[in-house]
Amino acid sequence: MSTRLSAVSSENAPGTGDSGPEMAALVASGTVDVPDFPKPGILFKDLMPFFGDGPTFKKVVDGIVTHWGPDSFDVVAGVEARGFVLAAAIAYATGLGVVPVRKAGKLPRPAFSATYALEYGEATLEVHEGAFVPGQRVLVVDDVLATGGTAGATMDLVERAGGVVAGFTVLMELGFLDGRERLSPRKVHALLTV
Ligand code: AMP
């Protein structure tokens, strides 16, 4: 674990995760809890220190690739914006492509759109029509799984655009919000569950 990150986070003690305690500790070490952001009552999990630490980022991306194993997905979909960072790294590590799932109004060509409730507010996500080859297996990636609304909307978009969701990977799962149950029976891989 990097010394730089050890200094960043004390609140996120090593916990459980689907890739074991070492991976969980790496994610925890790069996370800072920010109270009352973006609105009162929300404890925001800021993963920017994790993304900023090269050795930690690489170990976790390699751990994600190992978790899924060879030939388990054909393309990676990342949710704007922090999901883009992780999705691109996984795509590069596996030699696959990446499809950005964007916030409303950003895509230049005809797109499917899904609106859903967030832990804090409401949001709309979009993906280009024809973004996936029909039947393409898609790994959906984001930084945090909270209520599962974002991941559920992304699943809907992927399927409307012709893909098949192979599973979800998130760095951190807020277990008390039951997002995983909402995505059942799809496979959910969380590096750290708090
Ligand atoms: P949800 O749709 O409720 O599962 O929320 C997940 C999405 O919102 C992800 O894109 C996260 O980046 C963001 N998010 C929700 N809650 C938090 C939180 N407590 N800390 C950081 N990001 C969050």
Side-chain angles (χ1 to χ4, degrees), residues 40-84:
I42 301 293
L43 184 62
F44 190 84
K45 300 290 185 181
D46 179 16
L47 283 140
M48 294 306 169
F50 166 81
F51 288 122
D53 187 274
T56 301
F57 187 37
K58 178 167 172 45
K59 273 188 211 161
V60 170
V61 170
D62 289 345
I64 292 167
V65 173
T66 300
H67 171 86
W68 288 103
D71 195 33
S72 37
F73 51 92
D74 305 310
V75 68
V76 188
V79 181
E80 186 166 356
R82 294 177 295 275
F84 290 176

Side-chain angles (χ1 to χ4, degrees), residues 69-147:
D71 195 33
S72 37
F73 51 92
D74 305 310
V75 68
V76 188
V79 181
E80 186 166 356
R82 294 177 295 275
F84 290 176
V85 180
L86 189 59
I90 296 168
Y92 183 79
T94 49
L96 298 173
V98 60
V99 173
V101 178
R102 300 222 58 182
K103 291 179 178 162
K106 304 281 186 186
L107 290 172
R109 290 182 283 112
F112 294 112
S113 178
T115 298
Y116 61 98
L118 267 182
E119 191 190 4
Y120 42 81
E122 192 179 74
T124 298
L125 289 175
E126 294 184 342
V127 73
H128 271 141
E129 291 176 14
F132 304 101
V133 175
Q136 213 174 15
R137 297 167 302 165
V138 184
L139 178 67
V140 176
V141 172
D142 204 356
D143 62 338
V144 173
L145 175 67
T147 64

Side-chain angles (χ1 to χ4, degrees), residues 2 5 15 17 25 35 52 71-72 74 80 104 110 133 145 148-150 161 171 181 183 194:
S2 108
L5 285 189
D71 195 33
S72 37
D74 305 310
E80 186 166 356
V133 175
L145 175 67
T150 303
L171 293 172
E181 282 65 42
L183 302 174
V194 295

